[in-house]
Amino acid sequence: MNLSDLKTASQVNDERRRDPEFRAEWDRTAFARDVALRILRYRTDNNLTQTGLARQVGMTQSVIARLESGDQPPSIQTLARLSAGTGMEFDIRFSGGSVEFVAA
């Protein structure tokens, strides 16, 4: 098999999203993944380790690691602490039983 024969991550995800069970889990974790990406982007843009960010926001490294995993959505209180400690803004909307970021 050649490297050119391999599917891209996007192609694999597109195929997996056709599976109803996978799609349900993908949709359930969408907000958590968005938060995870924002935290990771903030950390890398500011050259912080998980421990460094945790100190900055008054949390533990393990909490930051869990947030970055994107498996579980953070609480409103957690988002408030992140915002207070970093200046990040989280504009969110609750609608139809889902949670999503609102474009700024």
Side-chain angles (χ1 to χ4, degrees), residues 30-74:
F31 179 71
R33 283 193 318 277
D34 287 344
V35 171
L37 290 172
R38 285 183 182 213
I39 293 169
L40 187 57
R41 188 174 302 120
Y42 178 88
R43 259 197 337 100
T44 57
D45 287 351
N46 292 278
N47 298 315
L48 292 168
T49 63
Q50 287 181 343
T51 301
L53 177 58
R55 286 185 185 130
Q56 182 176 328
V57 298
M59 297 178 181
T60 63
Q61 178 275 328
S62 62
V63 170
I64 299 300
R66 279 195 301 276
L67 290 168
E68 287 185 358
S69 76
D71 291 332
Q72 295 295 320

Side-chain angles (χ1 to χ4, degrees), residues 5-6 15 19 30 36 38 60 71 79 87-89 92 94:
D5 295 333
L6 296 175
E15 288 176 8
D19 173 24
R38 285 183 182 213
T60 63
D71 291 332
L79 292 177
M88 284 192 289
E89 293 185 6
I92 56 176
F94 300 92

